[in-house]
Amino acid sequence: MTTLQAPKRDFVSMADLDAPALLKLLERAAQLKAQPRGDLLAGKTLALVFEKPSLRTRLSFDVAMAQQGGRALYLSPAEVGLGQREPPRDVARVISRMVDAVALRTHEDEKLAEFARYASVPVINALSEGEHPCQCLADLLTIRERKGRFAGLRLAYIGDGNNVANSLLIGGATVGLDVTIAAPEGYAPPAAVLAIAERRARESGGAVRVVSRPEEAAEGADILYTDVWTSMGQEQEAAVRRQAFAGFSITRRLLARAAPDAIVMHDLPAHRGEEIEDDVIEGPQSVVFDQAENRLHAQKALLVALLSRA
Ligand code: CP
């Protein structure tokens, strides 16, 4: 069984957690949600090194540390200049001398990998081009709460095969979900991610599929999930992407194809009228704000696993 404890474990991908470790972490997150305050992270400091904007990730890490007696320090791109003012390997070694863990939000996965290689404290991927594993922890916690199980559930992800989709594929397959990605040609998740997810699905009894029609994915699904068509850093592609993703929206009509008790998920921020209709995100099947809240509980459990012996 993979654990996240000493000597030093990083959390850069959902592949870093096998099924027992992931299920244990989700159980701990549920416990911490019921009893949020304590001293499990007393005396610990988390550095937040962010090269991109954030509401949920920054806030949830900060509050998670505070509620368990620790502290978080936010370091802005202008202060750190990762890769410009100073190479990632130097920043990683300096920060490691002063804090207990680092949450890094960056563009390139190579930068994250270099940072993790040189850091002597745990490094958490707070979003990179390749993955958004912290979001996936909160997503799985939300599904667990709403559905009470993973096995046999069908998750349909509609849209861009991006970092959120990649983490969902690996994490979902690990816990036994049947994950279908509906993406336009050229926007499917990378083959390497699909290969990991397929391996995990074979072990868990889950399934992984990529299709080109949103209707095919949504038919009978228990969970409909989407994300923005244009992620941070892709703004110059926005017009091309709007064309490519036309029809890849969660609309009321698409939702009607899903199971009657299907839930609708989005990691936020959302572009209403593009990847999701306003009526759907505001509707009774939407659980998007549960997902946002669960960032706090899931990441707190992650920090406890990485930094505490409890
Ligand atoms: N979902 C998510 O990661 O939100 P932020 O970009 O606001 O952190």
Side-chain angles (χ1 to χ4, degrees):
M1 172 176 153
T2 304
T3 70
L4 284 169
Q5 270 172 341
K8 157 172 142 70
R9 294 298 308 237
D10 299 319
F11 182 60
V12 298
S13 164
M14 283 309 292
D16 291 332
L17 290 174
D18 64 13
L22 178 51
L23 294 169
K24 185 175 165 192
L25 197 143
L26 295 175
E27 178 60 32
R28 172 59 73 89
Q31 289 164 2
L32 287 167
K33 185 167 182 174
Q35 206 164 2
R37 288 178 173 74
D39 59 2
L40 294 171
L41 300 170
K44 304 290 186 187
T45 303
L46 172 71
L48 300 172
V49 179
F50 279 32
E51 293 193 288
K52 295 180 176 185
S54 171
L55 168 62
R56 282 145 288 270
T57 310
R58 177 179 173 181
L59 183 64
S60 51
F61 272 123
D62 199 332
V63 175
M65 289 300 291
Q67 288 186 343
Q68 287 295 332
R71 66 180 303 215
L73 277 177
Y74 175 74
L75 299 166
S76 73
E79 284 159 331
V80 180
L82 199 64
Q84 284 109 37
R85 185 167 180 266
E86 210 164 350
R89 63 186 65 187
D90 288 1
V91 178
R93 285 176 286 187
V94 170
I95 292 183
S96 294
R97 300 288 181 105
M98 302 185 202
V99 305
D100 301 285
V102 182
L104 175 60
R105 171 168 284 206
T106 186
H107 298 269
E108 306 90 351
D109 288 279
E110 296 72 24
K111 206 184 256 187
L112 174 66
E114 180 184 331
F115 196 103
R117 194 160 62 247
Y118 282 87
S120 56
V121 297
V123 174
I124 298 166
N125 180 357
L127 181 144
S128 67
E129 267 169 21
E131 279 205 51
H132 197 358
C134 293
Q135 179 66 53
C136 184
L137 295 180
D139 297 340
L140 294 178
L141 181 60
T142 307
I143 293 168
R144 184 186 185 272
E145 286 174 349
R146 290 289 178 151
K147 297 290 181 186
R149 65 190 168 94
F150 294 115
L153 290 180
R154 294 184 49 204
L155 185 152
Y157 176 97
I158 312 294
D160 192 16
N162 61 11
N163 46 12
V164 170
N166 293 341
S167 290
L168 263 181
L169 265 170
I170 299 172
T174 302
V175 297
L177 289 175
D178 177 332
V179 184
T180 302
I181 308 281
E185 199 182 326
Y187 294 96
V193 169
L194 285 166
I196 297 170
E198 280 161 5
R199 201 163 49 242
R200 292 283 176 105
R202 278 196 295 275
E203 292 164 5
S204 68
V208 170
R209 219 162 39 116
V210 178
V211 300
S212 57
R213 291 179 56 248
E215 296 78 11
E216 190 180 343
E219 202 67 52
D222 302 288
I223 303 143
L224 289 189
Y225 198 121
T226 192
D227 188 16
V228 290
W229 293 339
T230 303
S231 295
M232 284 182 279
Q234 298 171 330
E235 289 76 10
Q236 74 287 358
E237 299 173 30
V240 173
R241 285 175 166 268
R242 262 196 295 277
Q243 269 194 329
F245 285 97
F248 285 76
S249 307
I250 302 188
T251 58
R252 275 169 298 170
R253 184 179 290 204
L254 192 73
L255 181 54
R257 290 179 175 267
D261 62 347
I263 56 172
V264 175
M265 303 183 77
H266 192 305
D267 54 297
L268 301 178
H271 293 170
R272 289 165 162 85
E274 288 196 1
E275 76 277 1
I276 193 160
E277 263 183 6
D278 188 60
D279 283 358
V280 174
I281 199 167
E282 297 293 347
Q285 288 165 272
S286 169
V287 297
V288 302
F289 297 107
D290 289 352
Q291 280 176 267
E293 180 192 333
N294 282 339
R295 298 292 303 274
L296 169 63
H297 312 299
Q299 286 156 216
K300 193 186 289 175
L302 174 69
L303 290 164
V304 170
L306 290 169
L307 296 177
S308 154
R309 301 221 163 267

